[in-house]
Amino acid sequence: MASRLASRLLLRRRPTATISILRSCSHVRHFSTQLLEGVHRYSKPTRGRNLLSNALPYQLWSRSFASENGDLVEAVVPFMGESVTDGTIANFLKKPGDRVEADEPIAQIETDKVTIDVASTEAGVIEKFIASEGDTVTPGTKVAVISKSAIPNEAHVSPPEETSQKEAPPPPPAEKDKVEEKSPKVEPVKKQEPKLTTPPLKSSPSEPQLPPKERERRVPMPRLRKRIANRLKDSQNTFAMLTTFNEVDMTNMMKLRSDYKDKFVEKHGVKLGLMSCFVKAAVSALQNQPVVNAVIDGDDIIYRDYIDISVAVGTSKGLVVPVIRDTDRMNFADIEKGINNLAKKANSGALSIDEMAGGTFTISNGGVYGSLISTPIINPPQSSILGMHSIVQRPMVVDGKIVARPMMYLALTYDHRLVDGREAVLFLRRIKDVVEDPRRLLLDI
């Protein structure tokens, strides 16, 4: 009896086990068809999680399938700075088919402030460019596709060029025939050209004569120039700008420079210029008038206990303002070295965004271009800017006598919402006193 009951139970369970096996087989067949349809079907998060979580072997197989194109590497736009959100592709340094090494620049991106390089992360051959010159890109945008195992252009691109050259010769004769057939039709067009130029000459003398369009050029404005224009206009619209002037006798400063310039170069390796003298004078004036070093932020005033002076540098691409950090802790030699280093980077386009960010006060030297006097515009978000000008021999009254002295006009433009006229005049007066008598810096008086 017991054996008969056991056999009956087995017979009852066999259909259930068979059904479960068939169900599992159908599930596997359904899963395999999904894999054959393409890996992109797993891009849906819900479906991919349920299937891959129930079968780990299939998960490993899908990974190997997805890594089929692991030979290809994408070059993307790097991080361009906290205040820079996008840029324009200025030019490509390489062409499709060229060999590139790891960290080698392949394109340049022009931002509002600096020019940034797009480098290749791996060594290989450029297969194609995804973006083109003039496109606006953001950090993370794909620029090029690089193959790590491809052969440079000379090896695998030359055969198609040869075939194209073989196919190219036949079309030119037909094109020449077409040109010859159309050549008599082009002659009357040339005869009509004088007729097109005659109407502008018939205009009445009272109307303004505009230059011909053939003598005009239209080029897109660079991003740096756009940024400069927007910042200058925003500065005029935001600040209540007022400019005060003074003049400085440069006799003692120029004599000091002439007496010690050779020894200064011998010891420090840089020339003693006038800019370092005015930077030290500005530091002394900012310490005496801290409000000039402050800035308005909403309904608050931020006073800075550090002095980072921005120096305006004119380049072929536009005006840039790199920053010399902690000038209150520097001597003349440190300031001169910092100015020379930043000037070289500015002219070569190697300035980084960090080297231009910040700054509490700006000095602009228009005298190097021969400017006699000007009203500089504040560099936002700062509150003031000092303008230096050319040194000119002018008649001055000294001890009741008229003598010729090397004189320079100084201009201080400040935000009148924050800085009153008293502080501005005292600030400029302090610079005048220090420059005319540099011994004040030594004695701190």
Side-chain angles (χ1 to χ4, degrees), residues 248-260 272 274 276-278 280-281 284 332 430-445:
V248 181
D249 188 351
M250 300 293 296
T251 302
N252 293 332
M253 183 62 70
M254 294 178 67
K255 186 177 184 303
L256 175 67
R257 180 187 177 190
S258 176
D259 293 342
Y260 296 100
L272 177 60
L274 295 178
S276 60
C277 302
F278 277 91
K280 292 295 292 184
S284 177
F332 284 83
R430 176 62 182 176
I431 293 181
K432 173 182 172 65
D433 294 340
V434 171
V435 172
E436 290 184 345
D437 189 1
R439 296 174 296 180
R440 289 177 177 270
L441 291 175
L442 179 63
L443 302 176
D444 192 19
I445 57 175

Side-chain angles (χ1 to χ4, degrees), residues 396-411:
M396 303 296 298
V397 178
V398 180
D399 297 332
K401 298 179 180 180
I402 299 177
V403 295
R405 289 296 182 96
M407 303 298 296
M408 175 192 291
Y409 285 119
L410 295 180

